Amino acid sequence: MAKLSQDELLAQFETLTLIELSEFVKAFEEKFDVKAAAPVAIAAGGPAAPAAEAVEEQDEFDVILESAGDKKIQVIKEVRALTSLGLKEAKDLVDGTPKPVLEKVAKDAAEKAKAQLEAAGAKVTVK
C-alpha cells in the first residue's frame, strides 16, 4: 500500500458518511489506544485569569427583616401578607429580628417584598 499524503487522506474522509467516519474513529482509538477528544483551552495565568472565570449571576435571594421600626403592627401585617404565617408566628418573627422573611425567591419577588416591608416602616436587606 502506498503512503497517502494528508490531502489525499482528507479527500478519502470526505467520501465517508458520518456513520462510517464514526466507526473509523472508534477503530483508530482501539488500534492506537488513544482517545479522540476536543482540545480543552487552558486559561493562562496573570491578568487574564479573572476574566476567564465564569461568574454566575445570583438568581435566588433572601429577604431579611433587620428591624420592625416604629410601626411594628404594620410590619407584622406585611409579613403575614408575604408569608403563610399566622398572627403569632409573624409576631414572633418580627420580635426575633434579624430573621429571614422569604428565602430563595426570585429577584423581582425579593425587591417587591422589600418595598412592601420598608413602606410599613421596617428595615430590610436582600442577600
Side-chain angles (χ1 to χ4, degrees):
M1 181 169 138
K3 186 175 179 181
L4 299 175
S5 71
Q6 187 175 7
D7 290 333
E8 292 170 328
L9 280 172
L10 289 174
Q12 289 297 315
F13 288 134
E14 286 177 345
T15 63
L16 298 176
T17 65
L18 288 177
I19 294 173
E20 292 171 332
L21 190 56
S22 174
E23 290 171 355
F24 170 77
V25 170
K26 287 178 187 174
F28 188 89
E29 288 174 341
E30 288 175 14
K31 171 91 174 165
F32 296 103
D33 194 30
V34 295
K35 284 285 179 194
V40 177
I42 299 173
E53 295 177 12
V55 177
E56 290 186 31
E57 185 176 331
Q58 185 176 355
D59 59 352
E60 292 181 339
F61 296 86
D62 296 340
V63 179
I64 300 171
L65 180 65
E66 298 294 333
S67 69
D70 295 336
K71 301 177 184 177
K72 186 175 171 181
I73 294 173
Q74 293 295 354
V75 174
I76 292 171
K77 287 181 181 180
E78 287 301 324
V79 168
R80 289 192 67 205
L82 292 169
T83 64
S84 60
L85 296 176
L87 181 60
K88 182 179 181 337
E89 292 85 6
K91 182 182 179 305
D92 291 344
L93 187 142
V94 171
D95 287 340
T97 56
K99 289 224 176 180
V101 176
L102 298 172
E103 294 179 326
K104 297 182 181 179
V105 295
K107 184 176 183 176
D108 58 339
E111 292 297 325
K112 183 179 176 185
K114 180 181 178 184
Q116 286 177 307
L117 289 166
E118 286 179 342
K123 182 179 176 193
V124 181
T125 57
V126 176
K127 293 183 181 181

